[in-house]
Amino acid sequence: MATARKQNPDATSTPAVSGHSAPSAPSAPSAAHHPGATIYSVAERAGVSIATVSRVLQGAGTVSAKTTQKVLDAVDELDYVPLGAARSLAVRHHEAHGLVLPELTGPYYSELLMGFESRAAELGQSVTLLLTDGKADIARAVRQLATHVDAIAVLGSAAMPPAVAKALHGKKPVVIIAGSPQEGIESVGAENAHSAQKLTEHVLGHGRRSLVFVGDPDGAPDIHDRHAGFVAALRAAGLEPAEPVRVPFREGEGEAVAERILSGDITADALVCANDELALSIMSHLQDAGRDVPGDIAVVGWDDVMTSRYVRPGMTTVRQPVRELGELAAERLHQRVHGAELLAAPRVLPTQVIIRGSCGCAAQPRATPPTRAT
């Protein structure tokens, strides 16, 4: 799937839509109060021409590193974000929307991207993708992206710290996907705590009593909520939760967890994993070492990725509407750019516990693959 990267040579110029000339000598707002920062005030703060500011913000690469830094510092100080949405509508350009993801490895990110891009294409939008993994200054990268697009969707909260949210507020529509709600920014996500509690209760129903949560509750709000549901189920059963195994969502981390189980470093009769990628990696590695899943240890996951339906035993998991989250984010950005009001309450899509065999149940009929929302 190709994502179109829209180039907007007017992204940092300020011609009036009506055709009137722009003022030739505006004064820059003060550093303490600059609600109406313009390309002129950025240029004055940095001590350069507006043409230089334009080249820097377009990433032309023809400006010296020292001057580029001065311009970017001025942009940060003045909270400057070009009003690209109004101009693109005035000149009848297609909208360009940004999507900020950590990376593209793993099925979750690709499913989310496919949902976002497919809905954006249906609505006549192009998509510019920003991957934050490995970037030293994520906040600045997001702000630079904002100079080239009319609206932004961000996965999680890490790429939308309060300073960036404040800078974009009222200038660019933003939707946070599966992140912490912030004032003035819409958020969409899937339900986590209740389904995690139901999943854990189901595992407890098989007589398992030494359960361990695999995933870092501090890593993301949705993982925090899944762990909260896990803890609630254990405490309702009169059990004290063990410390979670705090690992990132990477296949190699699942293998490392399996090795710790094999060595006796982790003692458990069931693992409740924060996503399917970890669960599948752990289960496969344990099986290769001769362990019986679920006979020796039950393993359950979250997401209901396609592989979960075809491994043996099938993976008991929670189905969340990842593609639909991407579609919803793209649709809300489109609506906001066209004047829709901000939705104050988060949009939360339902999730569903899917029972297969890895929890200890007898083999279940193959679950019907999820269908797209209409």
Side-chain angles (χ1 to χ4, degrees):
M1 179 211 71
T3 55
R5 295 180 178 270
K6 177 181 173 184
Q7 298 299 319
N8 182 3
D10 297 323
T12 53
S13 60
T14 55
V17 172
S18 63
H20 296 296
S21 299
S24 57
S27 59
S30 69
H33 181 66
H34 36 75
T38 68
I39 191 171
Y40 299 97
S41 52
V42 171
E44 183 169 325
R45 174 64 62 89
V48 300
S49 69
I50 60 171
T52 298
V53 175
S54 180
R55 287 195 293 271
V56 169
L57 295 181
Q58 291 181 54
T62 57
V63 183
S64 71
K66 181 179 180 180
T67 300
T68 295
Q69 190 61 50
K70 287 168 61 178
V71 171
L72 294 177
D73 287 343
V75 167
D76 285 348
E77 291 166 8
L78 296 175
D79 289 342
Y80 172 64
V81 179
L83 297 177
R87 280 193 302 279
S88 67
L89 290 174
V91 299
R92 301 186 184 278
H93 286 168
H94 288 304
E95 299 160 10
H97 290 177
L99 177 61
V100 182
L101 301 176
E103 56 185 343
L104 285 180
T105 59
Y108 179 94
Y109 300 123
S110 59
E111 189 75 7
L112 185 73
L113 174 58
M114 285 190 290
F116 187 89
E117 196 279 337
S118 63
R119 185 62 182 137
E122 291 171 357
L123 296 169
Q125 304 161 3
S126 58
V127 175
T128 299
L129 182 63
L130 170 64
L131 303 181
T132 61
D133 190 32
K135 287 184 170 54
D137 192 338
I138 295 174
R140 175 162 285 174
V142 172
R143 293 179 69 158
Q144 286 183 302
L145 171 66
T147 68
H148 301 290
V149 299
D150 301 320
I152 299 177
V154 178
L155 177 63
S157 305
M160 190 54 59
V164 178
K166 179 183 177 183
L168 297 178
H169 183 60
K171 302 175 184 178
K172 302 276 179 171
V174 178
V175 170
I176 295 180
I177 305 170
S180 299
Q182 297 191 37
E183 184 179 356
I185 295 181
E186 286 193 26
S187 64
V188 300
E191 193 284 318
N192 288 282
H194 179 65
S195 287
Q197 184 169 351
K198 288 178 61 179
L199 177 66
T200 306
E201 289 171 350
H202 179 83
V203 174
L204 290 168
H206 284 285
R208 312 284 175 157
R209 287 297 179 268
S210 181
L211 281 66
V212 171
F213 184 88
V214 181
D216 187 0
D218 297 328
D222 51 355
I223 309 309
H224 177 274
D225 290 346
R226 291 171 204 173
H227 181 252
F230 169 84
V231 169
L234 288 177
R235 288 184 172 157
L239 301 172
E240 187 60 28
E243 180 67 18
V245 178
R246 299 175 184 271
V247 293
F249 283 179
R250 298 183 185 275
E251 181 181 347
E253 298 294 339
E255 295 179 1
V257 171
E259 284 294 335
R260 291 178 62 188
I261 293 169
L262 293 170
S263 69
D265 182 45
I266 296 175
T267 302
D269 59 14
L271 302 177
V272 177
C273 300
N275 77 345
D276 283 347
E277 192 170 354
L278 284 172
L280 291 166
S281 176
I282 292 170
M283 185 172 79
S284 175
H285 201 71
L286 290 176
Q287 289 173 325
D288 288 346
R291 292 292 183 92
D292 180 3
V293 177
D296 296 335
I297 184 170
V299 181
V300 300
W302 192 287
D303 285 335
D304 193 29
V305 300
M306 184 175 66
T307 307
S308 299
R309 301 193 287 274
Y310 296 101
V311 293
R312 290 294 176 266
M315 179 65 63
T316 292
T317 183
V318 173
R319 178 179 296 162
Q320 69 165 331
V322 179
R323 186 184 182 103
E324 287 82 353
L325 283 174
E327 293 174 344
L328 177 58
E331 182 152 352
R332 282 303 301 160
L333 290 183
H334 176 78
Q335 292 169 350
R336 290 292 315 288
V337 166
H338 285 80
E341 294 294 322
L342 175 76
L343 297 179
R347 291 282 298 276
V348 180
L349 301 184
T351 53
Q352 177 187 4
V353 177
I354 303 296
I355 304 301
R356 299 193 179 101
S358 67
C359 59
C361 284
Q364 300 287 313
R366 183 170 294 171
T368 301
T371 57
R372 291 181 60 186
T374 57

